[in-house]
Amino acid sequence: MPRKDPTLEAFGKCVSLRRKDGKLSQEQLAERAELDRTYVSDIERGQRNPGIKNVVRIAKALGITTSELCKGIDA
């Protein structure tokens, strides 16, 4: 199994924490962001590298800015 990318893992943790803070399920977040639930799950587990458009969609669905969602993530 390939090693997980630390940047993707950090981003996934941020998405998961923000989602849980907002008391949203993965399904609810996916619906708000117009994404598939399995895609959101893969992001949260650090197994997907979302494009910038999807990062923006997720941030908007969480009611935060893209920079807030990415805060503390170092490339």
Side-chain angles (χ1 to χ4, degrees), residues 9-40:
E9 280 191 313
F11 180 72
K13 285 179 185 176
C14 287
V15 172
S16 179
L17 287 172
R18 294 295 192 142
R19 176 180 61 78
K20 289 173 183 173
D21 285 347
K23 298 181 178 25
L24 295 172
S25 67
Q26 286 181 345
E27 183 73 38
Q28 289 168 318
L29 175 58
E31 190 175 303
R32 287 183 182 190
E34 298 180 356
L35 300 169
D36 191 85
R37 188 207 55 83
T38 58
Y39 184 76
V40 171

Side-chain angles (χ1 to χ4, degrees), residues 1 7 9-11 18 23 33 36 39 41-44 48 60 62 64-65 69-70 72-73:
M1 176 174 257
T7 303
E9 280 191 313
F11 180 72
R18 294 295 192 142
K23 298 181 178 25
D36 191 85
Y39 184 76
S41 175
D42 287 349
I43 290 170
E44 288 188 1
R48 286 278 187 152
K60 284 182 179 180
L62 292 168
I64 59 176
T65 65
L69 183 58
C70 297
I73 299 171

Side-chain angles (χ1 to χ4, degrees), residues 38-57:
T38 58
Y39 184 76
V40 171
S41 175
D42 287 349
I43 290 170
E44 288 188 1
R45 289 182 287 128
Q47 295 182 339
R48 286 278 187 152
N49 186 2
I52 190 65
K53 286 182 178 182
N54 288 336
V55 172
V56 171
R57 285 175 142 179

